[in-house]
Amino acid sequence: MTDSKFELKKKSFTQLRDEFLAGNYDESWEEHNLAMNELHNKLEDVSDLVPLLESGSKHCQYVAAYIAAQEGNGAASIFPYVFPLINSAWSEVRDEACDCFLNCTEDPAHYLALLKLLEDVEQSIRLRVITIIFGLSDKVIEGIYKLTKNVDSLADIGLGMRILMEGYEQSLAQEFIQFNNFENNKASVVCTYVAAYKHLGDSPEFKSTMNRLGESDISKHYHIYFEEE
């Protein structure tokens, strides 16, 4: 299929969606993107994305999750269909599904599931989750912590939430850095990094903390978001 941009503009939302479902845009990335943008332009109700989200197709789910992320909080009503995609076999789909969280949900259970992607095989997704942690509200942080209480397998996340609740200046975060007990504590390390930023801002002291944590994803995140050009 080789539709031009002009030909795509003549098609309705339903036509474009049906063609995505039929796999018509799977072969050409350029045409795929043109059709995706045109689909978004013609979107009238986010619920019309649900067939794409439920399709089982990488291309369709990616398109729908991407558009949902662009819609921001306007996509909250379809978030129950987006949420399962954080466990997609396709990293592109997982990535776009993650991008919907802060705008679409305040359910601590959703974020507890998301935090498990701190161990995702793709660094880009791990970095996206770190960025999301920066945006968590106090209410969500407390809610996640409550879900981890008395659950041994979630102790790392629970410790991380405690660090965020108590603050970087409190003893828990300081002891965590002092004793360098980072093995099997990815969430706690990341939360210490986030808590340090909230307390220290983008300062030399924050950079020093980042270096002391010595974690590769955190170093990469710092380089992308805080390092001066």
Side-chain angles (χ1 to χ4, degrees):
M1 193 169 192
T2 56
D3 284 344
S4 67
K5 189 173 183 179
F6 177 75
E7 290 170 327
L8 289 170
K9 284 183 176 296
K10 293 190 295 184
K11 296 182 178 183
S12 68
F13 176 90
T14 301
Q15 284 179 297
L16 289 165
R17 184 182 63 186
D18 288 348
E19 289 176 352
F20 268 111
L21 289 168
N24 291 3
Y25 300 111
D26 291 1
E27 300 302 322
S28 169
W29 186 245
E30 180 179 2
E31 189 176 28
H32 176 281
N33 283 349
L34 288 172
M36 177 173 66
N37 291 333
E38 197 59 40
L39 186 76
H40 191 187
N41 290 339
K42 291 183 166 69
L43 179 68
E44 294 183 359
D45 191 310
V46 291
S47 65
D48 293 332
L49 296 172
V50 171
L52 296 168
L53 293 168
E54 293 189 314
S55 67
S57 159
K58 176 178 74 172
H59 294 277
C60 293
Q61 291 180 339
Y62 170 83
V63 164
Y66 171 84
I67 294 173
Q70 296 300 305
E71 288 291 301
N73 57 15
S77 63
I78 62 168
F79 187 76
Y81 298 95
V82 175
F83 174 64
L85 299 185
I86 64 170
N87 296 314
S88 169
W90 303 299
S91 60
E92 305 96 315
V93 175
R94 297 197 303 278
D95 200 15
E96 292 302 330
C98 290
D99 207 23
C100 294
F101 270 70
L102 289 176
N103 286 319
C104 292
T105 182
E106 292 187 340
D107 185 340
H110 289 153
Y111 288 97
L112 180 58
L114 179 73
L115 289 175
K116 295 175 183 178
L117 295 189
L118 285 170
E119 303 292 348
D120 195 274
V121 295
E122 295 291 335
Q123 187 180 52
S124 62
I125 293 175
R126 301 195 302 269
L127 297 181
R128 188 181 288 278
V129 175
I130 293 174
T131 300
I132 290 171
I133 294 172
F134 274 85
L136 295 180
S137 69
D138 292 344
K139 180 180 178 181
V140 169
I141 291 168
E142 184 177 358
I144 297 170
Y145 175 69
K146 288 179 178 177
L147 292 174
T148 66
K149 292 182 70 173
N150 303 316
V151 182
D152 290 344
S153 62
L154 300 176
D156 179 26
I157 294 175
L159 178 59
M161 295 304 106
R162 280 185 59 199
I163 290 170
L164 290 178
M165 290 189 294
E166 294 182 6
Y168 175 74
E169 68 274 29
Q170 299 301 314
S171 61
L172 182 60
Q174 296 301 314
E175 290 174 7
F176 193 73
I177 292 174
Q178 180 181 352
F179 293 106
N180 297 318
N181 185 23
F182 300 154
E183 186 176 358
N184 298 321
N185 280 284
K186 179 66 172 285
S188 303
V189 177
V190 169
C191 290
T192 300
Y193 169 65
V194 174
Y197 175 75
K198 290 183 176 182
H199 182 62
L200 301 169
D202 187 5
S203 64
E205 292 81 6
F206 173 55
K207 183 175 183 179
S208 175
T209 298
M210 179 276 299
N211 286 328
R212 290 173 69 188
L213 289 170
E215 206 282 328
S216 59
D217 286 345
I218 288 174
S219 298
K220 182 69 172 180
H221 188 275
Y222 181 89
H223 175 71
I224 293 171
Y225 291 96
F226 298 107
E227 200 86 75
E228 292 183 359
E229 295 294 335

